[in-house]
Amino acid sequence: MSSFETSSDSSAAPCGQDPDGPLSAEAFGARPPQSTSGWGVVQEEAEWLWEERDSLRRVQGLSTELSDVTEVEYRQLRLERVVLVGVWPKRQSAEADASIKELAALARTAGSQVLEGLVQRRDKPDAATYIGSGKVAAVKAVVAETEADTVICDGELTPAQLRTLEQQVGVKVIDRTALILDIFAQHATSKEGKAQVQLAQLQYLLPRLRGWGQTLSRQAGGRAGGANGGVGLRGPGETKIETDRRRIRERISHLRGELKGMRKVRSTKRSLRERNGVPSAVIVGYTNAGKSSLLGALTGASVIIRDELFATLDPTTRKSWGETSGSFTITDTVGFVRHLPTQLVEAFASTLEEATGADVLVHVVDASDPRPADQIRVVREILGDVFAKAQTPWPTEIVALNKSDAVDEATLAGLRIAFPEATLVSARTGEGIDELKRRIGEALAVRSGAACLVELSLAVPEDRPDLLAKVCAAGRVLASEETESGTLVRALVPQDLADQLRGGATSLAET
C-alpha cells in the first residue's frame, strides 16, 4: 500500500475551525455582540443570535445516516475530511496514480479536504470489502490517525461492499460514482440539468437503499392488517424500505417522462437549424480541458468559465462565422471523465445527442495533462457508445490541444509528433484560435457541400420575410437598405443558398 498525499498541518483547519477546540461562531459568518451599552447591546445581541440560529439551522428527520444532519448543513459546519482508497493491478501503476490524483481533484471540487490517498495493489477488488480484509485494518488506522470522517473509493462499490466496509472502518464510505453524482448535483442549474442529475442519483440509490426503515415492522394491510382486512387486502403489507423503493421507482418513471418531453423540445430546435441550412459544430472533450473557454474564444460570447471539474453541465450554443462556411452554430457539451457513471450517460442522453447531430466535432484535449492520449481514448469510448446507440455515423473530428501556453517547447514538440493532425491552441492567449476557426469552417463547408461563398445582391419582397431570414441564418449580411417594394440586401451566402434565392427574389448582381 503506497501513500499518495498527506496533509497533517494543523493550521489547515477548515472553515475557521480551531484545531484544538470546537468551532467558533465566526466560522459560520456570525459575529458575537460587542461590549457596548444600552439599547444597542440588546439589538446587536438579538441580531447576532438570529444570524447564529440561521447558520446552525437543523432539519430533523431528513437523513438516516449516522447523524441527523443534512449534507448542506454539514458542509457549513466544516469541510469533509476524506481519505482516498484505490485498487489497481501492479502493472498499471502509472494509470493508478493518474486515477487517484483525479479522484483527489474530484473530492476537492465536491468541497472536501483530502488528507491522504492509498492504493492497494491487487489484480481485482475484493468481493466483500473492495480492498481485502487484511487491508481494512490499515485503512481504519489511517482514518483514526488523520481524524477523517469519510473514505472515498476509486471505483463503483456494490451495496454489500459499501455496507461491509463502512461497518468495519467506522466512518462514512462512498464510491467514485456517488462523488461524481454529488458534483453534478451541486453544479446543475437548469431544469433539465437538475432533472437529469436527480434521475441518475435515484437510479444509483435504488439498489443501495438502506437505513432505519428496514428494521421497522410491516405496515398493516387492510383496515388493521388483521382478519377483518377484507378479501385481497389481508397480508403483511410493506416495510418502510419497500415503500421507499416503490416511491423511488415512481419518481424515476416521472423524471423519464419529463426528460422525454425536454428531448422533444431540443430536437425541435435542432431540426429548425437544420431546415434553415445552418451547419453545426459541437465541442466535446475531457472535463476541465477548457471547452467553455474555447467556446468563448471562438465566438467572442460571454460564457461561464471556471477552473474546476464539471463547471458547466448544460449545453451552450453560440453563433459563429467562417470565411468558407458562412454562419454556423457551435455548442459546448458536458465534459467526460474516467469511469463516468453509466447512470449519468443514460440520464444525459438528450444532452449528448447534440454530438450525434453535429456536422463537425471539435475534440478539446488538455495539452498540459501528462497523459493526453488517455483523455482522447476515454472521450472516444463514451461517444462511440452514444453514436452506436443513436445509429449515426461519426462526423468529421478536429482535435484541438488547448492550454498550449502552459507547456514548454519540448512538450509542444512531442505533442506535434504524437498528434500531427491536431491544432495547438490557447483559449487564454488566443494563439491558434484563427487556425482552428479556419479548419472548422473548411470542414463544415465540405460537409454541407458549400465549398465557397458568393457575394449576392438581391431585392427581397415585403411578402417574403422568410428569404431574408435564410440569408441571416446561413450567410453574412454586408449591407441592407429598406425600399418601398422590399429590402435590398448584399450578403455572402453559400452557393447552394444563392441558387435557391434566385427563385424567390430578384437577383441584382453576383460576384
Side-chain angles (χ1 to χ4, degrees):
M1 184 174 289
S2 61
S3 175
F4 157 65
E5 178 179 348
T6 306
S7 175
S8 57
D9 185 2
S10 61
S11 64
C15 293
Q17 181 184 2
D18 184 358
D20 300 322
L23 292 173
S24 60
E26 290 85 345
F28 308 99
R31 49 186 177 83
Q34 305 296 322
S35 57
T36 56
S37 58
W39 170 250
V41 174
V42 177
Q43 188 177 20
E44 189 169 359
E45 183 173 358
E47 198 174 319
W48 173 71
L49 289 174
W50 276 103
E51 292 178 1
E52 184 182 31
R53 194 199 74 166
D54 288 342
S55 63
L56 294 173
R57 182 173 63 254
R58 173 173 294 181
V59 181
Q60 301 287 346
L62 296 183
S63 173
T64 56
E65 295 296 333
L66 300 179
S67 59
D68 190 22
V69 181
T70 65
E71 185 178 12
V72 174
E73 179 190 0
Y74 185 73
R75 286 181 181 167
Q76 289 177 347
L77 294 174
R78 68 171 185 172
L79 295 175
E80 292 188 37
R81 299 162 59 85
V82 303
V83 171
L84 312 179
V85 178
V87 175
W88 287 86
K90 292 182 179 179
R91 61 181 180 277
Q92 300 178 358
S93 58
E95 188 174 353
D97 291 341
S99 182
I100 204 76
K101 288 179 181 178
E102 184 176 85
L103 186 67
L106 288 168
R108 295 189 186 98
T109 302
S112 301
Q113 179 187 9
V114 179
L115 303 176
E116 190 163 343
L118 309 168
V119 177
Q120 167 67 8
R121 306 296 183 185
R122 56 184 298 151
D123 292 335
K124 60 180 180 179
D126 181 70
T129 62
Y130 180 70
I131 56 177
S133 57
K135 298 299 179 182
V136 172
V139 173
K140 186 175 182 179
V142 172
V143 168
E145 179 184 354
T146 58
E147 298 182 352
D149 47 40
T150 305
V151 172
I152 303 178
C153 296
D154 189 20
E156 184 168 346
L157 274 61
T158 65
Q161 288 174 329
L162 194 65
R163 182 168 55 253
T164 303
L165 191 57
E166 190 169 90
Q167 290 174 351
Q168 296 189 19
V169 175
V171 296
K172 182 174 66 175
V173 177
I174 65 173
D175 57 15
R176 185 187 182 97
T177 300
L179 178 61
I180 294 176
L181 290 173
D182 180 84
I183 296 173
F184 271 61
Q186 292 182 52
H187 293 177
T189 55
S190 68
K191 181 179 180 180
E192 183 179 16
K194 292 178 179 179
Q196 289 170 329
V197 173
Q198 187 178 4
L199 174 60
Q201 287 179 316
L202 291 176
Q203 289 175 328
Y204 172 81
L205 175 64
L206 185 59
R208 295 168 176 83
L209 195 63
R210 54 185 173 145
W212 299 113
Q214 61 189 352
T215 64
L216 297 179
S217 59
R218 289 179 176 266
Q219 299 173 3
R223 275 181 283 176
N228 296 325
V231 176
L233 297 180
R234 287 183 291 268
E238 291 181 304
T239 61
K240 177 65 166 58
I241 198 168
E242 288 171 344
T243 304
D244 291 340
R245 284 176 179 150
R246 176 169 51 81
R247 289 175 177 173
I248 288 177
R249 292 190 185 97
E250 291 173 354
R251 181 60 180 164
I252 287 175
S253 177
H254 177 72
L255 288 171
R256 283 176 172 164
E258 285 188 351
L259 290 174
K260 186 177 181 180
M262 296 176 188
R263 181 181 297 182
K264 289 182 179 179
V265 174
R266 189 181 297 279
S267 177
T268 301
K269 292 180 179 178
R270 187 165 57 247
S271 299
L272 182 61
R273 292 196 297 265
E274 292 174 355
R275 285 199 303 269
N276 290 332
V278 180
S280 64
V282 172
I283 299 177
V284 298
Y286 214 77
T287 181
N288 205 31
K291 298 183 299 299
S292 298
S293 302
L294 196 61
L295 175 65
L298 287 170
T299 63
S302 176
V303 293
I304 298 176
I305 299 174
R306 295 175 184 169
D307 185 18
E308 61 182 26
L309 305 181
F310 301 113
T312 55
L313 302 182
D314 302 311
T316 304
T317 301
R318 296 291 183 267
K319 190 175 181 179
S320 188
W321 170 264
E323 292 297 332
T324 55
S325 64
S327 178
F328 65 92
T329 61
I330 184 166
T331 303
D332 176 26
T333 58
V334 63
F336 302 123
V337 72
R338 293 180 184 89
H339 311 301
L340 188 67
T342 56
Q343 297 92 342
L344 281 176
V345 176
E346 179 184 348
F348 279 75
S350 61
T351 300
L352 296 176
E353 281 180 359
E354 292 289 338
T356 63
D359 298 305
V360 172
L361 286 183
V362 182
H363 189 163
V364 183
V365 182
D366 186 354
S368 63
D369 190 88
R371 299 170 65 89
D374 287 351
Q375 290 192 3
I376 295 176
R377 175 183 54 80
V378 169
V379 173
R380 286 177 176 171
E381 285 179 355
I382 297 174
L383 284 179
D385 295 337
V386 174
F387 278 95
K389 188 174 182 179
Q391 297 182 350
T392 55
W394 192 279
T396 303
E397 181 184 16
I398 299 175
V399 178
L401 297 173
N402 194 21
K403 305 182 184 179
S404 60
D405 58 305
V407 296
D408 53 29
E409 289 297 330
T411 303
L412 288 177
L415 291 172
R416 291 189 182 97
I417 295 174
F419 310 101
E421 300 297 326
T423 301
L424 289 168
V425 299
S426 172
R428 188 177 68 87
T429 64
E431 180 182 359
I433 295 298
D434 292 338
E435 171 65 16
L436 177 60
K437 200 170 183 179
R438 181 190 64 79
R439 289 191 61 187
I440 295 174
E442 290 178 352
L444 288 173
V446 173
R447 182 87 173 181
S448 62
C452 62
L453 297 177
V454 296
E455 183 175 328
L456 186 69
S457 297
L458 64 153
V460 181
E462 290 183 351
D463 59 345
R464 294 301 306 274
D466 57 307
L467 299 179
L468 187 59
K470 288 184 177 181
V471 172
C472 296
R476 183 178 185 181
V477 177
L478 303 177
S480 64
E481 180 183 352
E482 297 293 335
T483 64
E484 294 181 359
S485 59
T487 305
L488 293 177
V489 178
R490 187 167 62 89
L492 287 173
V493 296
Q495 181 64 57
D496 56 349
L497 179 59
D499 296 337
Q500 295 176 18
L501 290 173
R502 292 193 188 98
T506 304
S507 177
L508 301 180
E510 182 177 343
T511 58

